[in-house]
Amino acid sequence: MAAPLVLHLEFGRRVHLKRTEIKKNKKRIHVRKRGGAELLFDGVKNHHVTLPGQSDPWDMKQLLAWIRGNMLKERPELFMQGDTVRPGILVLINDADWELMGELEYQLQDQDNVVFISTLHGG
Amino acid sequence: MCEVEGDYNGLECNQKIPVPTLNRKCMKCKEGAAVLIIRVNDAFCRACFKEYFIHKFRAMLGKNRVIFPQEKVLLAVSGGAASCSMLSQVQEGLSREAPKKLRFMPGIIYIDDGGACGRSAEERQRSNALLKSIFTETGFPYFIVSLEQVFSLPASVLVPGTSDPDPSNLSYKQAVDQYVKEKQTLTEENVASAVAQLSIGDSVYSHKHKLALERLFSSLKTLTAKEDMLQTLRQHLILHIARENGYSKVMMGDSCSRLAVRLLSNIALGRGAALASDTGFSDPRYGDVVIVRPMRDYSSKEIAFYSRMFNVPSVFISGLDTKTHDKASIQRLTESFVTNLQSDFPSTVSTIYRTSEKLHTVMPPQSQSAEPASKCLLCLCTLDTKEDCTTEYEFCVSA
């Protein structure tokens, strides 16, 4: 993963961003797990994570890799399959199906809310 | 990407981070922003999805016409998203504002199988308490029964009851018409009797039964056998409670995806002859109590989304196969197979489901002596093997 950089310009480039916190170079994402998926994360359902800044914007693919590396306590094969989530795990971004947002290509915004719901028996 | 926001000047266009707008509109109302894709490519907005979900439930019950007005129906709730969504649909359907109210009298049953799954007493108490609060909210009579109580069931639970061939039984349409006429007089009586029936079946079991259950499950060597046994014991317990309390129907919350998995795993388990009753909408094998599956048209994704979007209270309770690997049991392997196939071929589950709708149980030809066909002791399905064949097999095995 890229080392954090001080990147004021990054956010400055986004002229449509109305926030006053443009100087912040970190992203805060809320990650929630439901339907049994929390079992793989010490039983904790809600996580507020701060992703380190980097030159390229964070996308879902990188977030999943980050989760696997930093948050997944056990049995990674029950959550992920290759680059993406295991079939049977639904992903919602801001309460909308991630298929509508481009799945792995979706680029994360500050304060985004990501929910993982497991629909399978085995966790 | 540049055309998404036209007010960018050319310099910044290349480096612009695309804003993820929900470009798609709902395919039904064409106005709302789509929040969900179901089936292959059908995008729905929130409101249309809710309508679709509720309508499907009513249509399933209306199409099949097996639940008569004023009938007592037991809802088997496991705490998971599907059965809790079913519970919320029933609540919704019975509420006064509903245009065409559902007309049956529900009760709820939850089987606490922590003893078989190896959960501790504290965990069981915790989940029981959570579920109790959910059930009390609904106002329906409920039963929280522990699996250990299966050892105190009478032997009559293994005998199929006779479905009542009472000639005065009205057809569905006649029953509905009669109900509508009598409606005004019944309302107050209903409320009083419902309150009187609010039973709080506490999951009390003896230590002896607890040990017996543990011994039973530890004697089964494979997870496949354990899951099968758990299913059988649960069915018996639900059946018994239904019979004891006068419920003639039991609603199970099996979704389309789960039933597709069950269909294939039952074939692998040698239960091909019973497929129609194991996975069909109604399961009449018990005679006096009919099992219906109104959620069988919903995929897991639809249920999970509905549950999340409309805050259906549910409790996740780990089962026998939680956190097991793919090849731990036949059921688990089949689930993994179907789910993986579904991700590449999105019509897998619906194809299996449509095939299952075409299955019917073959009735054995009526014999001269008019004896009822012999039934399996455990699952109460008609035997698909002849007695003399099995005896020969036994001889071969013992030789």
Side-chain angles (χ1 to χ4, degrees), chain B residues 239-251:
Chain B
L239 181 65
H240 176 73
I241 301 282
R243 276 185 180 151
E244 283 269 284
N245 294 280
Y247 288 93
S248 48
K249 296 275 185 316
V250 175
M251 271 194 190

Side-chain angles (χ1 to χ4, degrees), chain B residues 160 163 272-277 282-287 358-367 371-375 380-384 386:
Chain B
S163 51
L275 280 181
S277 26
S282 73
D283 182 357
R285 75 182 98 159
Y286 301 109
K358 296 175 189 162
L359 295 171
H360 296 284
T361 310
V362 171
M363 299 309 293
Q366 290 293 334
S367 60
E371 267 175 29
S374 44
K375 308 258 184 189
L380 290 168
C381 284
T382 314
L383 278 182
D384 54 344
K386 293 207 187 86

Side-chain angles (χ1 to χ4, degrees), chain A residues 10 13-16 32 34-36 38-40 57 74-75 78 81 86-88 90-92 95-97 99-101 106-107 109 113 115 117 119-123, chain B residues 5 8 12 15-22 24 34-38 40 43 46 258 300-301 304-305 308-309 316 318 321-326 332 335 339-340 343:
Chain A
E10 288 290 306
R13 281 189 290 138
R14 290 195 206 182
V15 287
H16 62 275
R32 291 201 177 84
R34 291 271 176 273
E38 67 269 21
L39 289 182
L40 304 173
E74 54 183 318
R75 312 293 301 281
L78 287 183
Q81 196 177 67
R86 185 171 161 227
L90 302 176
V91 186
L92 279 93
D95 277 347
D97 192 352
E99 283 181 45
L100 285 165
M101 314 283 242
Y106 169 76
Q107 300 196 331
Q109 315 276 309
N113 196 351
V115 184
I117 304 177
T119 59
L120 303 173
H121 266 126
Chain B
E5 297 207 349
Y8 276 75
E12 290 172 325
Q15 298 147 326
K16 179 195 161 316
I17 300 149
V19 175
T21 51
L22 299 174
R24 293 187 64 166
V35 292
L36 158 70
I37 293 189
I38 59 170
V40 180
R46 222 180 127 96
R258 292 269 162 102
S300 299
K301 183 171 179 180
F305 266 88
R308 162 84 192 158
M309 282 186 190
F316 172 72
S318 49
D321 56 358
T322 303
K323 290 213 275 191
T324 50
H325 63 93
D326 273 355
R332 197 60 193 85
E335 182 185 50
T339 325
N340 285 339
S343 63

Side-chain angles (χ1 to χ4, degrees), chain B residues 4 23 52 62 65 82 130 189 206 234 240 248 267 269 287 365:
Chain B
V4 170
N23 288 330
Y52 158 85
R65 294 188 161 193
L130 278 169
E189 291 167 26
S206 70
R234 241 194 239 140
H240 176 73
S248 48
I267 293 175
L269 291 170

Side-chain angles (χ1 to χ4, degrees), chain A residues 100, chain B residues 24-29 32-38 40-45 48:
Chain A
L100 285 165
Chain B
R24 293 187 64 166
K25 293 289 177 202
C26 169
M27 60 161 255
K28 195 165 168 219
C29 63
V35 292
L36 158 70
I37 293 189
I38 59 170
V40 180
N41 213 10
D42 296 340
F44 276 87
C45 68
C48 291

